[in-house]
Amino acid sequence: MNQQDVLIVGAGPVGLTLAIDLGKRGIHCTLIEQKPQPQFLPKMERANARTMEMYRRIGLADPIRQAGLRGDCPMDVYVVLSMNQPPLLRLNYPSVDEARAQYRATNDGTGALEPYQLISQYTLEPLLKSIAESLPTVTVRFGVEFVEFKQSEQGVTATLSAGGQTETLQAAYLVGCDGGASTVRKQLGIKLRGEGNLMELRQALFRCDELFDRLPVGNGPGRGRHYHVADNKASFLIMQDSTRHWTLHSVVGSDEEMKAQFEKVIGFPVQYEMLSCAPWRQNLLLADRYRDGRVFIAGDAAHLVIPTGGLGMNTGVGDAFDLSWKLAGTLQGWGGPGLLDSYEHERRQVGERNIGASRYASLGRRKWRSMYRPNIGENTPEGKQNRDNLARVADVEQRKTNEMFGAEMGYRYVDSPIIMDIPGGPEHLFREYVPTTWPGARLPHVWLNNGTAMQDLIATQGFTLLRLGANRADTTGLEQALQAHRAPLTVLDVPDQVARDLYGFDLILLRPDMHIVWRGQQPPEDPAQVAAVATGH
């Protein structure tokens, strides 16, 4: 019988990210996946700025960018009648290279350290798999089915099936990252609640090597990322990271009809191949609980959103990074019982908030789509009026999908048991990000005088105490209080005035995920309490 610290079920981006982060923390884990290998299927297609910041902390930002869409490609979003006609609306968004230059020239905390990256899930998964397999602390096993588990106060015993043989594996903890139909969640008896089956579409993946280069500029929309078609089928064409693959969503009756719909959306002859096609349903669902004893759920097993706003996979990656350091701290002996308890408290509120953001974006898209009229393409005064009306509404409503910077960067853990929370706090905004050092928030990005990013100085293992500006306060009490729990701590003196001015406080205590535990102008009156809260004691 095999013994591991953590057993992870499901090797999508969430399970793979969790395995890599745990492995880099020295935690022994086994990752199992029922499929024999990663599948070439379109799912997520963008890692947002916060996700890329977290990947940077474990050395993966550059490999992900090298594997994804090249940095000079426009990320514009269009509303079109077809790809061979002038667009009804163009929303301009910077390429990765342009966004990086903008962030480099901004130092007021409103930007991210890393811009977004367009990368298809079928590209990201094999990359993460290869990295996980390179870690001596991680065992990756594809073609292994999770059957069931039993748990006790000592650990979890899982029954697995591989190659017709049944085996058991023991672990201290089990995490279900096994998707919307999660076997782990169902075994726990945890319900998904909310709005299910809101709409059914088909999704097809096409290979068309020539389309990107042939996109007509002037008489057509030109190069971009998303092409929403003003029709009665909710058609939506997405460029994938290779620029040779394209995903089409549309409400049609059969797989075969998707080919005709693709040709209709393109509007001019191209050589193409349909690689896959399958129906999918829009859901806005949240699990009642994220934990039962030694068993946790993360990603789509815990929350299902409509892809509008790009908050599905990115929310799941956030789950993985949150749970990873808490599992590590518990297994390494410095985390108290409240550390793992905080996972559900913190991440379920983010799941609920992001479902709300997804609903907000989806309703915006439905609003402009409701402006479609059958004569919209006609060269008549009525046709022009309908085109103008739809474009005017879409110019407001479609932005809700593509401008989610507040939801991505500004989420704050409210009333967390491991944060020195204070009543009140800034409003949670979906679209606008306002930098803050309020306890529970992410530390805003700032460039220091020598060109270093503050985030790059924050320890990835354990806590970091920032002493900012000219402050030389005696923090021995807080340092000793954390050391009494054997919690890793880095004390960082940052004299740069730009950081002190932005953050507004002399002292800030950070977790390894860069969320703020405590802040003050002088050391805490009760350092033992701060240390006990931070470590879950």
Side-chain angles (χ1 to χ4, degrees):
M1 186 180 290
N2 198 356
Q3 174 72 46
Q4 290 284 288
D5 292 330
V6 182
L7 171 62
I8 303 165
V9 181
V14 177
L16 284 160
T17 298
L18 179 60
I20 292 167
D21 199 47
L22 282 170
K24 286 177 174 280
R25 296 180 185 280
I27 302 302
H28 289 265
C29 55
T30 292
L31 173 65
I32 64 166
E33 170 56 56
Q34 186 173 349
K35 299 190 296 286
Q37 60 193 28
Q39 293 181 297
F40 198 79
L41 292 173
K43 293 180 183 176
M44 58 73 61
E45 44 92 26
R46 184 179 69 106
N48 70 28
R50 178 64 176 136
T51 295
M52 291 304 294
E53 281 186 348
M54 291 188 284
Y55 277 138
R56 178 181 177 124
R57 290 181 65 69
I58 56 173
L60 299 189
D62 288 343
I64 286 171
R65 294 205 188 280
Q66 289 162 13
L69 182 72
R70 66 178 200 254
D72 65 327
C73 285
M75 297 288 279
D76 295 348
V77 174
Y78 294 92
V79 176
V80 302
L81 294 175
S82 68
M83 304 290 276
N84 65 340
Q85 298 182 63
L88 305 184
L89 176 68
R90 174 184 179 182
L91 300 177
N92 296 305
Y93 296 106
S95 69
V96 166
D97 290 348
E98 291 167 340
R100 178 177 277 127
Q102 289 174 13
Y103 291 157
R104 194 65 189 85
T106 304
N107 212 25
D108 59 3
T110 58
L113 173 55
E114 289 281 350
Y116 45 58
Q117 176 61 48
L118 198 153
I119 182 167
S120 304
Q121 185 162 335
Y122 56 72
T123 305
L124 182 62
E125 282 185 8
L127 173 64
L128 295 178
K129 178 175 180 280
S130 68
I131 293 164
E133 289 171 336
S134 73
L135 298 172
T137 43
V138 179
T139 301
V140 180
R141 298 182 61 194
F142 274 65
V144 177
E145 181 183 0
F146 169 77
V147 180
E148 62 178 358
F149 72 88
K150 294 177 182 175
Q151 66 170 316
S152 66
E153 290 185 8
Q154 285 69 47
V156 181
T157 302
T159 302
L160 314 177
S161 175
Q165 301 292 313
T166 299
E167 60 182 281
T168 57
L169 186 145
Q170 285 189 332
Y173 298 97
L174 168 67
V175 187
C177 304
D178 48 344
S182 171
T183 304
V184 174
R185 186 192 67 238
K186 289 174 182 174
Q187 253 200 65
L188 291 171
I190 297 175
K191 302 290 187 187
L192 287 176
R193 300 186 194 275
E195 303 162 74
N197 298 335
L198 291 167
M199 184 179 187
E200 181 172 307
L201 303 93
R202 271 182 168 74
Q203 179 190 48
L205 177 65
F206 294 88
R207 174 157 187 166
C208 182
D209 291 4
E210 61 189 283
L211 179 56
F212 182 75
D213 292 326
R214 288 185 58 195
L215 285 173
V217 179
N219 291 327
R223 293 176 180 176
R225 170 184 164 219
H226 286 172
Y227 301 86
H228 299 270
V229 184
D231 64 7
N232 60 353
K233 299 179 185 295
S235 300
F236 173 27
L237 188 68
I238 301 171
M239 182 186 70
Q240 298 294 323
D241 57 16
S242 67
T243 72
R244 295 191 303 272
H245 292 87
W246 302 78
T247 306
L248 178 66
H249 298 261
S250 194
V251 180
V252 298
S254 68
D255 292 358
E256 198 60 31
E257 287 179 57
M258 283 295 277
K259 295 178 183 177
Q261 190 64 16
F262 182 71
E263 294 173 7
K264 184 177 179 182
V265 167
I266 302 305
F268 55 88
V270 289
Q271 294 290 319
Y272 72 88
E273 179 185 5
M274 188 168 78
L275 303 177
S276 65
C277 188
W280 70 280
R281 294 184 177 89
Q282 293 185 348
N283 297 293
L284 292 167
L285 299 169
L286 182 67
D288 289 342
R289 294 174 290 130
Y290 279 27
R291 179 191 185 184
D292 187 314
R294 289 177 170 270
V295 183
F296 302 82
I297 55 173
D300 284 359
H303 42 76
L304 289 170
V305 303
I306 299 172
T308 45
L311 295 170
M313 191 271 313
N314 290 292
T315 307
V317 169
D319 296 342
F321 279 109
D322 184 88
L323 182 56
S324 175
W325 75 267
K326 294 172 180 177
L327 283 168
T330 303
L331 288 161
Q332 289 162 354
W334 57 263
L339 199 60
L340 285 176
D341 287 343
S342 72
Y343 167 68
E344 177 179 311
H345 185 100
E346 292 186 348
R347 293 308 301 174
R348 192 174 182 277
Q349 62 180 264
V350 174
E352 187 169 28
R353 212 175 293 141
N354 286 355
I355 284 171
S358 177
R359 181 187 294 111
Y360 164 82
S362 181
L363 289 173
R365 190 181 294 182
R366 288 186 187 187
K367 187 171 182 178
W368 73 254
R369 283 197 174 279
S370 72
M371 306 296 292
Y372 167 79
R373 300 292 183 272
N375 67 351
I376 194 167
E378 293 177 2
N379 189 21
T380 62
E382 294 81 8
K384 183 181 186 305
Q385 183 178 11
N386 286 331
R387 289 192 294 276
D388 291 346
N389 286 341
L390 185 143
R392 176 178 48 79
V393 175
D395 195 19
V396 174
E397 299 296 333
Q398 180 57 36
R399 294 179 186 275
K400 295 177 179 179
T401 294
N402 301 107
E403 298 166 15
M404 278 284 175
F405 204 55
E408 294 172 8
M409 307 298 290
Y411 61 85
R412 174 172 55 86
Y413 297 132
V414 180
D415 296 330
S416 168
I418 61 167
I419 297 285
M420 295 298 293
D421 207 357
I422 46 182
E427 182 184 0
H428 285 105
L429 303 172
F430 291 153
R431 294 171 67 181
E432 184 183 357
Y433 170 66
V434 180
T436 179
T437 57
W438 197 277
R442 154 199 169 270
L443 184 77
H445 158 58
V446 66
W447 297 107
L448 302 180
N449 295 342
N450 64 0
T452 302
M454 172 67 91
Q455 288 186 14
D456 288 344
L457 302 179
I458 307 305
T460 57
Q461 309 281 340
F463 297 91
T464 300
L465 177 60
L466 295 181
R467 296 196 295 201
L468 295 156
N471 173 60
R472 288 296 175 266
D474 182 4
T475 55
T476 308
L478 183 54
E479 294 171 47
Q480 291 177 343
L482 284 161
Q483 287 161 3
H485 293 292
R486 293 179 294 151
L489 173 66
T490 301
V491 180
L492 199 59
D493 288 307
V494 183
D496 305 52
Q497 195 62 36
V498 63
R500 173 61 183 80
D501 290 346
L502 175 61
Y503 297 154
F505 286 81
D506 290 338
L507 299 168
I508 296 177
L509 182 64
L510 294 166
R511 314 177 339 177
D513 59 359
M514 296 186 302
H515 283 266
I516 295 158
V517 177
W518 168 87
R519 65 181 182 177
Q521 304 296 15
Q522 55 268 329
E525 292 181 11
D526 188 350
Q529 183 199 16
V530 175
V533 167
T535 56
H537 287 90

